Amino acid sequence: MADETPAQNPPMAAAQPPPSSATVSDSDSPSVLEKQDPSPTSHVPAVSVSVTESVSTTIAEKEEQAPPPEPAALEPDSSDKGPGKEELPPTPPPQAVELESEPPAVTEAPKEENPPAPAAETVVISESESQLPPAPAQQEVVTESESLAAMMEKEETGAPAEPTAAGTTTTTTTTTSAQEEVAAAVEEKKVPQNLGSFKEESNKEADLSDSERKALEELKQLVREAIDSNLFNSESKTEENPEKEKKQESKEVSIWGIPLLKDERSDVILLKFLRARDFKAKDAFVMIKNTIRWRKEFGIDELLDEDLGDDMEKVVFMHGQDKEGHPVCYNVYGEFQNKELYQKAFSDEEKRMKFLRWRIQLLEKSIRKLDFSPGGVSTIFQVSDLKNSPGPGKKELRLATKQALQVLQDNYPEFVAKQVFINVPWWYLAFYTMISPFMTQRTKSKFVIALPSKSAETLFKYIPPEQVPIQYGGLSVDYCDCNPEFSDADPATEMTVKPGTKQTVEITIFEKCILVWEIRVVGWEVSYGAEFVPDAKDSYAVIIQKPTKMTAKDEPVVSQSFKVGELGKVLLTVDNPTSKKKKLLYRFKVKPFCD
């Protein structure tokens, strides 16, 4: 299945840029910030933005009153450890199976005692910097592979590996939290790490190597001969009128709505089968022949128009695109905690087959929307949410998963660009540990495993926050009358609020307008306030929202507006007194002023 996530650059944590101001190149697009150009320009923007970082008042007061805590001992946290013996956990959801694990957390070095107190620092956020990943480049381990569905039969028993957790330590943590976070970082290192992120190959013929181009031509010749001899249809002729079927079907053979050998899109289809079989043309041809036969036996053409109900629409759904333009598919298997829904999907063979047909139908409809041109997007980004996912004892789910995996591996090659598992529990880490030795370099490089505390942060590495559903830390909702101001097309700025610091987003207004904005801190547990400060010396600041402690139970996104009748600045302030870094998202629009 598909293959690409570009290698990520490590975050710049050592040095910060010198104080500078930033302006928004487009007043309706706050995520693109540029340094001010001293040369004169003909266009004056309506607003400009700068971000100021300072030490949190709460933390500063604590440090004045008490000496810094002693370094915490490195002691593993055993609170998350699982039982000594478990049944085979359920496999990943019935999707393409590729893997890349998340790198360990980075522990910050302690700061020097009594450092000089710096003045408030202005941080200029550019588009590229605002999307930098918070973790180092992923790593990869090369091993051999076999069918994952076949591996499931071997893994009937086995002791689960110890769970891991993510966390970082900072100079503002207490002794207790430092122990927990350092121990968590040590535990996380037990998860098999990758040595790099898999780069999706080009489908352009000019980019292929000589051996790959030769294999493609050989496969095209085999397919041409099969079409001319009607081989693809000969195994499934109807007894009613085989001559009529031969006359009609020998002219064209299609897969996923793409006629084979008709145009350059066909090459993209053939390359998928070649890559699934290591560019062995004869093996790829056998796979194509078997896939065409299976599609007829399964009734794919009729399945596209079949009404299978909408009971499962919260289990698997398509939503938004990643940064590379791949459509994103979310698999929410915690929905199966609903016993009625679980029984409806998996209680017997007939229901498991109906669920499989529903899942294949959704996949087929999604594939038909892909662009199969050589330079287009022909893969899907998969996200599997394992929060509250049924545990190791669900035999019915295991049977359905095994069946689905076999179908997907045999008939849908190279359709996954990335497979990200979020909210991963300890038992899945145990399962990954067991199957990891059987996976190839290519397979591992497509997997990303994110523990609950890292789920939103991991998604933002690959998917713009405005495209991430609100339940996963982003800003995207089902747009209707409930949120008329913003859509998935309105970009958001993403930034990190360090532990014990205060971030102030300063939006400078150069003309009368109505300013509308959204702001979110993932997980909250910070204070948020907003005010307008006029430029005129004899004017008073206007409190839009007084500093308020926001908790995880509050609304995830704060939406506000302010009618600006005079020039000045709108200040959005987030004070993070906690010992954990926080992800801050915001975006705004400037609307015409009206009396």
Side-chain angles (χ1 to χ4, degrees):
M1 308 203 168
D3 328 56
E4 168 191 273
T5 294
Q8 305 290 335
N9 296 323
M12 297 185 297
Q16 295 181 347
S20 174
S21 61
T23 59
V24 180
S25 57
D26 184 338
S27 61
D28 287 346
S29 179
S31 66
V32 181
L33 304 180
E34 302 172 351
K35 293 184 178 179
Q36 289 183 339
D37 189 346
S39 61
T41 58
S42 58
H43 172 69
V44 178
V47 297
S48 69
V49 179
S50 65
V51 181
T52 302
E53 178 182 305
S54 59
V55 178
S56 169
T57 304
T58 305
I59 294 299
E61 291 176 353
K62 289 182 179 180
E63 291 179 347
E64 289 178 1
Q65 296 173 2
E70 295 294 329
L74 294 179
E75 183 177 324
D77 184 359
S78 60
S79 60
D80 293 330
K81 292 183 179 180
K85 186 175 182 180
E86 287 280 345
E87 269 189 78
L88 171 68
T91 64
Q95 304 300 320
V97 184
E98 275 90 30
L99 189 131
E100 174 184 325
S101 62
E102 186 183 357
V106 178
T107 303
E108 296 183 5
K111 299 179 181 178
E112 297 179 2
E113 293 187 7
N114 302 322
E121 183 178 10
T122 300
V123 181
V124 180
I125 307 296
S126 69
E127 182 179 25
S128 59
E129 290 172 343
S130 67
Q131 296 178 355
L132 282 176
Q138 319 247 336
Q139 296 187 333
E140 188 169 41
V141 180
V142 181
T143 51
E144 294 301 320
S145 173
E146 62 181 78
S147 169
L148 197 61
M151 281 190 280
M152 293 176 62
E153 298 179 357
K154 299 181 180 180
E155 303 294 345
E156 292 299 329
T157 59
E162 293 182 353
T164 63
T168 59
T169 58
T170 69
T171 57
T172 58
T173 55
T174 62
T175 303
T176 302
S177 62
Q179 288 177 331
E180 292 175 351
E181 293 182 2
V182 173
V186 173
E187 283 290 301
E188 189 170 348
K189 291 181 180 180
K190 296 181 180 181
V191 180
Q193 302 299 317
N194 287 344
L195 300 173
S197 183
F198 190 81
K199 179 71 175 177
E200 188 171 9
E201 300 97 332
S202 171
N203 288 316
K204 297 179 179 179
E205 186 174 355
D207 295 332
L208 300 177
S209 66
D210 291 340
S211 61
E212 291 172 344
R213 196 178 297 111
K214 181 179 179 181
L216 177 60
E217 291 302 321
E218 183 181 351
L219 179 58
K220 290 168 73 172
Q221 181 63 30
L222 292 172
V223 172
R224 168 57 63 195
E225 293 173 357
I227 292 176
D228 292 343
S229 62
N230 203 28
L231 175 64
F232 291 133
N233 300 310
S234 61
E235 298 178 3
S236 57
K237 290 180 183 178
T238 59
E239 296 180 359
E240 297 178 357
N241 195 343
E243 291 300 323
K244 181 179 179 181
E245 180 176 334
K246 179 177 180 180
K247 182 178 179 181
Q248 292 178 345
E249 297 189 6
S250 61
K251 296 179 181 180
E252 184 178 285
V253 176
S254 298
I255 302 181
W256 305 303
I258 307 298
L260 295 182
L261 304 184
K262 287 293 184 180
D263 53 46
E264 60 183 3
R265 296 178 301 165
S266 174
D267 289 356
V268 177
I269 299 295
L270 299 183
L271 283 170
K272 287 181 179 293
F273 287 93
L274 281 170
R275 290 185 173 116
R277 291 297 180 262
D278 297 325
F279 279 89
K280 297 176 181 177
K282 293 182 179 179
D283 292 347
F285 174 73
V286 172
M287 187 179 185
I288 290 175
K289 185 173 66 172
N290 291 338
T291 294
I292 292 173
R293 181 174 65 247
W294 172 82
R295 292 176 67 82
K296 291 184 176 182
E297 293 173 353
F298 202 80
I300 294 296
D301 292 337
E302 296 77 16
L303 178 63
L304 287 171
D305 298 323
E306 192 173 340
D307 183 7
L308 297 175
D310 56 3
D311 297 331
M312 304 294 171
E313 62 181 5
K314 291 184 178 181
V315 177
V316 185
F317 59 90
M318 305 296 295
H319 190 106
Q321 297 180 340
D322 72 355
K323 294 178 181 179
E324 304 297 324
H326 302 100
V328 182
C329 179
Y330 291 85
N331 306 275
V332 191
Y333 285 85
E335 292 291 330
F336 287 129
Q337 288 290 351
N338 182 325
K339 294 182 179 179
E340 182 179 349
L341 184 64
Y342 183 88
Q343 291 296 321
K344 193 170 186 177
F346 306 122
S347 59
D348 56 46
E349 181 62 29
E350 181 181 353
K351 292 177 180 177
R352 288 194 290 272
M353 179 54 67
K354 182 179 180 181
F355 174 78
L356 178 62
R357 290 184 65 80
W358 177 86
R359 185 61 188 92
I360 294 298
Q361 182 190 65
L362 178 63
L363 178 59
E364 283 283 335
K365 289 181 178 179
S366 302
I367 289 175
R368 299 300 174 105
K369 297 177 181 179
L370 295 175
D371 177 11
F372 282 98
S373 63
V377 174
S378 61
T379 52
I380 298 172
F381 190 102
Q382 295 278 353
V383 178
S384 294
D385 179 10
L386 299 186
K387 183 178 181 180
N388 297 325
S389 181
K394 297 292 185 179
K395 180 180 178 182
E396 300 86 0
L397 178 58
R398 200 158 59 237
L399 291 172
T401 301
K402 178 181 175 182
Q403 184 181 26
L405 281 175
Q406 195 65 62
V407 168
L408 294 170
Q409 289 177 350
D410 292 345
N411 303 289
Y412 294 90
E414 298 298 312
F415 268 108
V416 169
K418 209 72 176 177
Q419 175 69 281
V420 177
F421 292 92
I422 60 174
N423 296 313
V424 174
W426 69 266
W427 58 259
Y428 184 80
L429 296 177
F431 174 75
Y432 172 72
T433 300
M434 290 188 290
I435 68 173
S436 179
F438 301 98
M439 292 183 179
T440 61
Q441 170 185 350
R442 185 185 186 86
T443 296
K444 287 184 178 182
S445 65
K446 293 183 181 181
F447 269 44
V448 177
I449 297 178
L451 299 169
S453 62
K454 297 285 186 179
S455 293
E457 182 178 318
T458 300
L459 289 179
F460 295 159
K461 292 180 186 178
Y462 307 104
I463 308 172
E466 65 271 11
Q467 297 276 344
V468 176
I470 197 168
Q471 64 266 36
Y472 295 121
L475 297 174
S476 181
V477 297
D478 292 330
Y479 290 96
C480 54
D481 294 337
C482 58
N483 190 0
E485 299 294 348
F486 295 95
S487 71
D488 291 350
D490 296 312
T493 297
E494 172 197 346
M495 54 194 301
T496 299
V497 184
K498 297 177 182 178
T501 63
K502 180 187 296 185
Q503 290 277 20
T504 299
V505 178
E506 183 179 290
I507 306 173
T508 303
I509 312 296
F510 296 112
E511 62 186 29
K512 292 183 179 181
C513 64
I514 297 176
L515 188 68
V516 183
W517 68 90
E518 283 186 334
I519 189 168
R520 175 177 193 173
V521 177
V522 180
W524 287 112
E525 303 303 333
V526 299
S527 292
Y528 163 69
E531 64 177 334
F532 173 72
V533 180
D535 287 344
K537 294 182 180 179
D538 56 348
S539 298
Y540 294 97
V542 179
I543 302 299
I544 302 173
Q545 176 172 321
K546 65 180 181 179
T548 305
K549 176 66 180 296
M550 307 290 291
T551 69
K553 295 181 180 180
D554 291 317
E555 287 293 325
V557 179
V558 174
S559 301
Q560 294 179 308
S561 64
F562 185 74
K563 190 174 183 179
V564 182
E566 57 180 317
L567 304 187
K569 301 174 181 177
V570 172
L571 306 179
L572 311 178
T573 302
V574 173
D575 187 355
N576 178 19
T578 72
S579 61
K580 298 180 180 179
K581 63 182 179 180
K582 299 287 184 177
K583 278 294 177 182
L584 166 64
L585 312 173
Y586 73 90
R587 57 182 172 177
F588 65 87
K589 281 185 175 181
V590 176
K591 301 174 65 176
F593 182 89
C594 55
D595 294 325

